[in-house]
Amino acid sequence: MIYEKAQEAAEFIRGKFGDRIKIALVLGSGLGAFADEIESAVKIHYAEIPHFARSTVEGHAGQLVLGKIGGAAVAVQQGRFHYYEGYSLEEVTFPMRVFGLLGIKTVILTNAAGSLNADFYPGSLMLIKDHINLMGVNPLRGRNDERFGARFPDMSEVYSLDLQEKAIAEARAMDYVLRRGVYCALQGPCYETPAEIRMLREVGADAVGMSTVPESIVARHQNMQVLAISCISNLAAGMSEEKINHEEVMEAGAQVADVLNKLLKRIVSKLI
Ligand code: HPA
C-alpha cells in the first residue's frame, strides 16, 4: 500500500531532520541551483529514502535537500521523476505523498517548458494558472485511499489563487514581469511536432512540458496548496527556425536561475 510506504519514507525523513517542514519545492530541469540557497542543508539521495525511485535524466541531481530558507523549514526535491523515464505515476508522485504525510501544506513546483505564446520568449518565467492534462494517464487511477483524499477531487483551482497573488506581488517588488498562463503536460520524451503545437494552441495552452501535472493533481488530492512556475526554455516546435534540444533547455534554466532563485526565496519567506 502506498500509504504505508509513504509513512515509512516520511518517518525516515523525520529521523534526519527534526524541524517541522512547512514547504516543499520541486526543482525542474536545469533549475537545481536553488538547492544551494538552503541553509544548514541536510542532503539525502533518493536511493537512501525508503520506496523512492531514482532520477535518471541528465540535469537532475536526484536528492532531497532539507533545510531553511529565510527562516522557513523546507524540503527541496533536486530532480524529479518523469513518466517518460519509465516510472509509473505512482512512483512519479510518491514524493508528494510523502510531503503530504509530513504535514506539508504548500508545494512549489518548477519546470522547464516550451512556449506556445510568442510573447513568452525563452528565458521568461510563467506562473501556471491552470493546466491541461494530455498525458493520457492520471495519477489517481486505481483504488482510492481515503486517507489521502477523495475519490473525485475538485480541480477548479489546482494552482492556488492566493499563492499566485503572492508570487505576482513578489515579482513586482523585484521589477520582474512574471507571465501567467496555461501549462499543458504531454508524456514526452520527444518534443512535439509543429502540428501538435498548433493543436495545443487551439485548445488554450501557453506552455508545454512533460511534468508537474501529475504532482499537482496528487498534491490537490491531499489538499496541499500548489504554486507552479515554468521556466520558458524555448519556443515550441514550428514557432521558430530552431530545432529543440535538451542542452538548450538546460541552458535556459541556468540563465534564469538567478531571478528564479531570488523570486522563490522571497515567496518562501512570505509564506511563514
Ligand atoms: N516541449 C515539451 N517539453 C519541454 C519543451 C518543449 O518544447 N521545452 C522544455 N520542456
Side-chain angles (χ1 to χ4, degrees):
M1 293 283 275
I2 308 176
Y3 193 90
E4 282 74 23
K5 286 180 177 171
Q7 262 182 333
E8 228 181 283
E11 268 321 301
F12 175 84
I13 291 165
R14 274 197 200 100
K16 296 267 179 190
F17 190 73
D19 290 36
R20 190 176 170 86
I21 303 166
K22 284 277 178 57
I23 302 163
L25 292 103
V26 180
L27 307 178
S29 299
L31 306 174
F34 182 72
D36 301 334
E37 308 274 335
I38 298 169
E39 299 147 37
S40 337
V42 176
K43 298 180 178 180
I44 315 173
H45 278 279
Y46 293 156
E48 291 177 54
I49 308 174
H51 313 297
F52 257 58
R54 274 154 232 215
S55 180
T56 66
V57 72
E58 217 182 296
H60 287 257
Q63 61 183 5
L64 190 67
V65 186
L66 310 167
K68 295 232 168 155
I69 295 275
V74 297
V76 177
Q77 235 189 292
Q78 198 176 23
R80 58 152 59 85
F81 306 112
H82 299 87
Y83 191 59
Y84 64 73
E85 292 177 87
Y87 300 115
S88 66
L89 282 190
E90 213 167 85
E91 290 172 302
V92 168
T93 60
F94 185 73
M96 286 298 132
R97 293 300 186 198
V98 176
F99 295 150
L101 294 189
L102 282 168
I104 295 170
K105 298 276 185 262
T106 306
V107 298
I108 302 179
L109 308 172
T110 64
N111 62 42
S115 170
L116 285 82
N117 184 325
D119 292 336
F120 297 4
Y121 46 82
S124 48
L125 294 175
M126 186 193 91
L127 196 59
I128 300 181
K129 65 176 179 187
D130 204 352
H131 75 225
I132 301 172
N133 179 14
L134 287 184
M135 293 183 94
V137 282
N138 192 294
L140 304 183
R141 179 174 181 267
R143 206 180 72 79
N144 186 55
D145 193 328
E146 294 281 337
R147 291 173 291 181
F148 284 128
R151 169 75 291 185
F152 301 110
D154 176 68
M155 290 287 141
S156 51
E157 190 186 321
V158 176
Y159 305 93
S160 156
L161 286 173
D162 178 48
L163 291 180
Q164 286 187 57
E165 274 169 24
K166 287 192 166 93
I168 290 166
E170 290 312 313
R172 196 171 290 141
M174 288 167 60
D175 263 337
Y176 183 79
V177 181
L178 197 54
R179 313 291 181 166
R180 194 161 168 263
V182 173
Y183 175 89
C184 179
L186 273 65
Q187 273 192 29
C190 59
Y191 295 111
E192 301 70 33
T193 64
E196 286 166 342
I197 292 302
R198 285 194 297 276
M199 175 194 76
L200 295 180
R201 201 176 303 115
E202 281 307 308
V203 300
D206 295 294
V208 60
M210 309 171 190
S211 68
T212 304
V213 165
E215 291 139 306
S216 298
I217 291 173
V218 164
R220 289 304 301 140
H221 186 228
Q222 286 168 283
N223 209 22
M224 292 188 273
Q225 303 270 88
V226 182
L227 180 76
I229 299 174
S230 288
C231 160
I232 300 297
S233 54
N234 55 280
L235 289 172
M239 290 179 66
S240 79
E241 302 294 304
E242 305 290 319
K243 295 250 173 18
I244 303 161
N245 64 75
H246 186 60
E247 288 66 40
E248 159 189 47
V249 172
M250 299 299 295
E251 227 175 82
Q255 271 175 29
V256 296
D258 217 34
V259 60
L260 177 65
N261 293 352
K262 281 198 186 97
L263 180 63
L264 290 176
K265 252 177 137 167
R266 293 184 70 117
I267 295 169
V268 167
S269 319
K270 283 284 147 59
L271 295 180
I272 50 169

